[in-house]
Amino acid sequence: MVQKDAALVQLFLAASLHLWDLLPSYTSSLAAAKHLYNAQLLPEDVPGKSGGPPGNAFELVYISVTDAVRRAVRKVDPVLADWIRVHLYGDVYSSPGLDMKQKQLLMVAFLGQANMLEEMSGHALAGMRFGVSPEACRQALDLGFDWHLQRLSPAAQQGAQQVQEEAQAALQKVLLHGSYILAFSSVTGAAMVNAVAVERYDSKYAADGPHESQVTVPDPTSVRLPPLPPRHISPGQAVNKSAPHHDQS
């Protein structure tokens, strides 16, 4: 993984895990800004998508299983499913600034340490289809667990590190009678799920070369720098402003 992407993953993990104090700065917002600046990931005035028809980031990530994933989320909560479609993927994920490869690395790092392995697998596979190397996916996964360890007590950290060593050994024997075994812990499980995604990529997509990763936005005017809203004037201020002026002379 290139240095810029590693810095970006670390910033995302700091925000997701509330570990801002691990970034070399003074306050949360300054830490984020300084981290982005040092990694040269803080360009000025990058527009974002706001409103209008949703972009197609969701379809780019899930391709042939797009409808199945949407139905699965809708069974859990139809309103949440529509928010994910219209706003999360349709606006935020479809905005410029970070490319789709970087966005997949962020999700692999976070979802792996969160033990959301099915979701992690989908983003790892999408990342590799977009041109992320399997090694970069593994490094993002490792960064996620490294940051997750910072939330544990020293004794728990020692135990988790031992599990990570066991996971590395287990990966050497991951394939057994054609099926993958998820065992030991979320660390081992995530590493093995990532290995499954790599094998699936190699067998199904690698020969095609990188897939299209440029998001299409139906209404280009929805990608913009939103202006400041009009100055807010409270009802009391409005009344005072319009009150007649009495001459005191």
Side-chain angles (χ1 to χ4, degrees):
M1 193 192 318
V2 298
Q3 184 176 0
K4 287 184 179 181
D5 287 347
L8 185 64
V9 169
Q10 291 176 49
L11 175 62
F12 187 76
L13 291 167
S16 301
L17 302 177
H18 303 285
L19 294 173
W20 293 106
D21 57 312
L22 296 182
L23 295 180
S25 193
Y26 301 101
T27 65
S28 298
S29 57
L30 182 58
K34 184 176 180 180
H35 198 68
L36 284 170
Y37 178 81
N38 289 340
Q40 297 180 345
L41 287 168
L42 191 64
E44 294 184 5
D45 295 339
V46 176
K49 186 180 178 307
S50 178
N56 70 333
F58 196 96
E59 290 81 356
L60 290 177
V61 171
Y62 292 106
I63 51 174
S64 61
V65 298
T66 293
D67 291 337
V69 173
R70 282 180 174 158
R71 284 194 297 268
V73 178
R74 193 178 189 281
K75 285 182 179 179
V76 177
D77 187 328
V79 176
L80 175 63
D82 201 56
W83 180 85
I84 290 173
R85 178 184 71 85
V86 174
H87 180 66
L88 179 58
Y89 275 90
D91 277 347
V92 178
Y93 224 76
S94 293
S95 288
L98 303 180
D99 61 41
M100 289 294 281
K101 294 189 291 184
Q102 292 173 313
K103 291 171 183 175
Q104 306 322 300
L105 289 173
L106 299 182
M107 298 311 299
V108 167
F110 175 75
L111 294 170
Q113 63 82 35
N115 202 27
M116 301 174 68
L117 304 187
E118 183 177 0
E119 294 85 353
M120 187 213 79
S121 175
H123 285 282
L125 182 60
M128 286 182 278
R129 287 193 296 101
F130 296 149
V132 175
S133 69
E135 176 65 13
C137 282
R138 187 193 63 77
Q139 290 172 346
L141 193 61
D142 289 345
L143 270 177
F145 281 108
D146 287 345
W147 278 67
H148 179 75
L149 287 178
Q150 303 300 321
R151 306 174 70 189
L152 305 178
S153 66
Q157 288 186 29
Q158 184 177 0
Q161 288 169 351
Q162 181 178 350
V163 168
Q164 282 185 307
E165 293 172 2
E166 293 173 355
Q168 293 301 320
L171 280 174
Q172 305 303 317
K173 302 178 181 179
V174 67
L175 191 59
L176 180 62
H177 303 303
S179 63
Y180 288 84
I181 300 174
L182 301 182
F184 298 131
S185 70
S186 60
V187 180
T188 308
M192 291 184 173
V193 167
N194 188 62
V196 175
V198 172
E199 184 183 74
R200 185 180 176 194
Y201 167 75
D202 287 340
S203 63
K204 193 171 182 179
Y205 301 109
D208 300 336
H211 285 197
E212 175 60 48
S213 61
Q214 182 62 45
V215 174
T216 299
V217 175
D219 179 9
T221 64
S222 66
V223 180
R224 57 196 176 93
L225 285 170
L228 284 173
R231 182 183 176 189
H232 174 69
I233 300 177
S234 68
Q237 289 175 309
V239 169
N240 291 337
K241 183 177 180 181
S242 61
H245 175 71
H246 297 285
D247 191 353
Q248 300 298 320
S249 60

